[in-house]
Amino acid sequence: MADLSVTWERELLEQFSCLTAASEEEPCPNYTEEYYYNGATGLLHLSDEVLLVIMRNLDPMSLLRLGSTCSLMFRVSSCNFLWNTHFQESFGVRLSSAITKCPVTAKNAFRLVFMWRSLFINIHCNRAFQEKLFVEIPQAPHKYWIQWLVLEEDVPLPSIRLPSGDVEKLWGIPSDLFQDKLQEKTEDCDVLKFEWRELHNLAVKHHGSASLVFQHVLSQHQHNEHTELESMYHQYVQCRFQWLFTYWLFRQPSPFNKQLKSIFLQWKKHSKRKVSTWGETLCDVRYLASLHPVTKDYWQGRLARGDASLGIQTVASYFSMCKSLVAWILSRDWGRLKRRKVYEDTLEGVYLLLRREMHETLVEHERFWQVAKVQMGRVLYLVSGNSLYLDHVQGFLRRKKLIRDWIYLEENSWARQFLPEPLFTLLEFDTKISQESLHGDSAAAQLSRVMWLYLNSGQQRFLDELKALVLLCAQIYVQQLTSAALHTV
């Protein structure tokens, strides 16, 4: 199952939740001539062929936005060629060879499958959708949903029981493809038992390809009302952050569920009455989300540019860092009040430092823990007054600045010019060294390891080794350029 691009998924979700089934005759807003003279004049003077060349470089969200400006842009942006490309990139299925036989336009096909696929891949946290597909078990779900389900190879549903006539009617699969099933059938029962993967494979075998299965399903749906699909999709768009957070919070495998509860509430001021219903139907999940600023942001759709999947990964990384932080604090012989003070102030500092980054992209455990260690050193100094913690933080930052100042010396200008960009970036003051970058035999990995040893130990021999390695890498790059130039001549 192809993943949808996270850069435009949120806006596309919201846009499609407001759209009705589109056709090329659908009315669009017409702006005045003055509007185009103020900024969009150029596009209106281009031919359809040139506009298509421009539009094929747009992502689906941008294409929808451009198509909503006027009837001309709507007509061109609705071209099957454009949406067929997006269909293939998003769902891994090519419709170009079959779309001429399918009465559904490529744009509307994209819209319908996008809504279905968004619901299906999030079925694990969508209770309303689960009830729609599971409520009639052991009987089959409504035929409308069965037609969509055959598109999916892996379906989290029990085997289905259908009359043989329905199998042929729904998906066009002739009975000769399941003769074994017919032989197993008893005289008293005209119903056959199928696994969902089995039905999917039969459909692909009969139609010849997955794209033709999609075409068949879309053709079957051309006269259907999609009100229920649109309604469920709109509900999912409005509630997806709350649903996914609730699923993550209460569906952890044992004993991780108990551990997560302990970490979630550790040293955080909370109402014992409200948390006593943890995981139950009447549990106030919104209140639990408000206990941590990161979970509060996720609940409101602010993390990772509103991408629900990346946002919940950031939440998981945050609590993984909290787990490490708790283990470190408990290993120290402090009183309860001091432990709580260090924990709360460290988490607050981490959030303030990483808030903007979390709002833009996925932040992993290593990044959280890297910032937490520095922040914890500051907190420990303020709490204990022990200059050891202050000296560690000051020394770490001073050594980072020393490396940066060294590479910017005039005598090293040649090295800055020829040093590969990844290596030069490592020497910048604000560069973060990730744990993954410390492994391997590449020049970047070797430089990262030496720099890490120097920053944490302060030993001069590591600084000398770092400088020698940087100059050696620059010299090797110069030699490579010279060799390539001589070879060209």
Side-chain angles (χ1 to χ4, degrees):
M1 184 184 300
D3 292 333
L4 300 175
S5 173
V6 297
T7 59
W8 52 266
E9 181 176 359
R10 182 191 180 194
E11 293 187 11
L12 194 59
L13 285 169
E14 295 172 350
Q15 185 78 2
F16 274 139
S17 68
C18 301
L19 286 176
T20 56
S23 67
E24 294 190 4
E25 290 75 31
E26 182 176 310
C28 284
N30 284 300
Y31 296 93
T32 63
E33 237 180 85
E34 180 182 356
Y35 170 84
Y36 294 109
Y37 281 123
N38 287 335
T41 311
L43 287 178
L44 295 182
H45 293 286
L46 300 176
S47 66
D48 289 0
E49 291 77 12
V50 175
L51 286 174
L52 282 173
V53 172
I54 296 173
M55 291 181 181
R56 72 181 181 185
N57 294 306
L58 299 179
D59 59 59
M61 187 62 227
S62 300
L63 194 57
L64 284 173
R65 284 177 169 174
L66 183 60
S68 68
T69 57
C70 68
S71 57
L72 170 62
M73 294 301 166
F74 177 82
R75 176 178 59 79
V76 180
S77 68
S78 298
C79 174
N80 281 341
F81 164 74
L82 297 172
W83 287 102
N84 194 48
T85 300
H86 289 308
F87 199 102
Q88 181 179 4
E89 292 176 350
S90 297
F91 311 121
V93 175
R94 184 174 179 82
L95 292 179
S96 59
S97 60
I99 201 68
T100 55
K101 301 178 182 179
C102 182
V104 182
T105 64
K107 181 179 179 180
N108 200 33
F110 182 96
R111 172 182 172 273
L112 290 174
V113 177
F114 182 88
M115 289 192 295
W116 159 256
R117 187 59 58 84
S118 298
L119 291 172
F120 182 77
I121 63 178
N122 291 283
I123 189 176
H124 60 284
C125 67
N126 191 334
R127 181 65 61 85
F129 196 47
Q130 290 175 19
E131 292 177 353
K132 184 62 61 178
L133 299 180
F134 282 87
V135 71
E136 299 180 18
I137 299 295
Q139 300 299 318
H142 190 275
K143 291 180 180 179
Y144 176 84
W145 301 112
I146 294 177
Q147 286 180 315
W148 284 118
L149 282 164
V150 81
L151 297 178
E152 314 300 336
E153 186 173 2
D154 296 310
V155 176
L157 285 174
S159 56
I160 185 174
R161 297 180 180 274
L162 286 171
S164 57
D166 282 359
V167 176
E168 185 170 0
K169 181 179 179 181
L170 287 170
W171 302 301
I173 304 175
S175 58
D176 59 350
L177 289 182
F178 48 88
Q179 283 298 320
D180 294 342
K181 294 286 185 182
L182 292 172
Q183 292 175 5
E184 296 173 4
K185 183 179 62 175
T186 63
E187 295 181 358
D188 300 329
C189 182
D190 188 41
V191 177
L192 304 177
K193 181 180 178 180
F194 291 93
E195 299 296 334
W196 286 101
R197 183 187 296 270
E198 185 180 18
L199 273 175
H200 173 81
N201 292 337
L202 284 173
V204 173
K205 181 179 180 180
H206 169 65
H207 291 286
S209 67
S211 66
L212 292 175
V213 174
F214 271 78
Q215 176 203 343
H216 176 80
V217 171
L218 290 168
S219 298
Q220 291 289 310
H221 278 308
Q222 63 174 307
H223 299 303
N224 287 342
E225 286 288 336
H226 301 288
T227 305
E228 192 171 23
L229 175 66
E230 293 166 351
S231 175
M232 295 190 69
Y233 176 78
H234 182 72
Q235 183 185 23
Y236 159 71
V237 169
Q238 299 300 316
C239 305
R240 63 190 183 279
F241 298 107
Q242 294 86 337
W243 288 350
L244 195 55
F245 175 75
T246 304
Y247 179 84
W248 172 82
L249 192 62
F250 299 138
R251 296 296 183 271
Q252 299 289 333
S254 184
F256 297 110
N257 183 52
K258 183 178 180 180
Q259 187 181 62
L260 176 60
K261 179 180 178 181
S262 175
I263 297 298
F264 200 97
L265 303 176
Q266 186 80 47
W267 295 314
K268 298 292 293 184
K269 294 180 180 179
H270 58 267
S271 167
K272 292 184 178 180
R273 178 182 60 83
K274 289 187 176 183
V275 303
S276 63
T277 56
W278 178 282
E280 299 177 7
T281 305
L282 298 179
C283 179
D284 189 347
V285 184
R286 181 188 290 272
Y287 170 75
L288 293 178
S290 69
L291 296 180
H292 292 261
V294 177
T295 54
K296 183 178 180 180
D297 281 351
Y298 180 77
W299 185 272
Q300 297 173 350
R302 295 177 179 173
L303 296 187
R305 293 190 177 184
D307 182 86
S309 299
L310 289 182
I312 202 65
Q313 290 181 53
T314 296
V315 171
S317 298
Y318 171 82
F319 282 97
S320 180
M321 180 270 295
C322 290
K323 178 182 175 182
S324 302
L325 184 61
V326 168
W328 192 91
I329 292 176
L330 290 177
S331 67
R332 299 299 186 269
D333 187 18
W334 298 333
R336 176 175 174 80
L337 291 178
K338 184 176 290 187
R339 287 174 176 173
R340 179 173 180 171
K341 175 69 173 175
V342 172
Y343 186 72
E344 290 183 338
D345 288 357
T346 299
L347 290 187
E348 182 179 359
V350 170
Y351 175 73
L352 291 175
L353 289 170
L354 294 181
R355 177 174 55 186
R356 181 175 297 179
E357 188 174 338
M358 287 188 293
H359 287 182
E360 291 296 317
T361 186
L362 167 67
V363 179
E364 298 181 341
H365 169 260
E366 289 77 9
R367 177 79 175 108
F368 275 114
W369 187 233
Q370 183 183 45
V371 174
K373 284 189 288 188
V374 176
Q375 179 63 23
M376 190 163 46
R378 298 169 181 167
V379 173
L380 288 172
Y381 170 70
L382 293 175
V383 171
S384 65
N386 191 334
S387 61
L388 175 65
Y389 299 116
L390 180 62
D391 291 343
H392 175 74
V393 174
Q394 288 179 332
F396 187 91
L397 297 176
R398 183 172 59 251
R399 289 188 284 273
K400 290 194 73 173
K401 186 174 185 300
L402 183 64
I403 294 173
R404 189 262 184 193
D405 292 344
W406 172 78
I407 193 61
Y408 275 97
L409 290 175
E410 184 177 353
E411 63 191 61
N412 294 324
S413 59
W414 71 274
R416 292 198 305 273
Q417 180 181 356
F418 294 105
L419 199 65
E421 183 65 25
L423 300 185
F424 181 75
T425 302
L426 281 173
L427 303 175
E428 291 287 350
F429 179 80
D430 58 350
T431 300
K432 309 300 185 297
I433 303 177
S434 65
Q435 186 174 354
E436 292 79 3
S437 67
L438 298 174
H439 304 286
D441 298 325
S442 66
Q446 295 179 45
L447 183 59
S448 296
R449 287 195 292 269
V450 175
M451 184 182 298
W452 182 257
L453 289 170
Y454 172 66
L455 291 175
N456 285 277
S457 69
Q459 295 185 29
Q460 182 65 34
R461 65 187 183 93
F462 292 125
L463 178 60
D464 294 339
E465 186 178 344
L466 181 145
K467 292 179 179 179
L469 183 59
V470 169
L471 296 177
L472 177 62
C473 289
Q475 290 172 356
I476 292 175
Y477 191 66
V478 170
Q479 292 173 0
Q480 290 175 345
L481 290 177
T482 305
S483 177
L486 292 174
H487 181 73
T488 303
V489 174

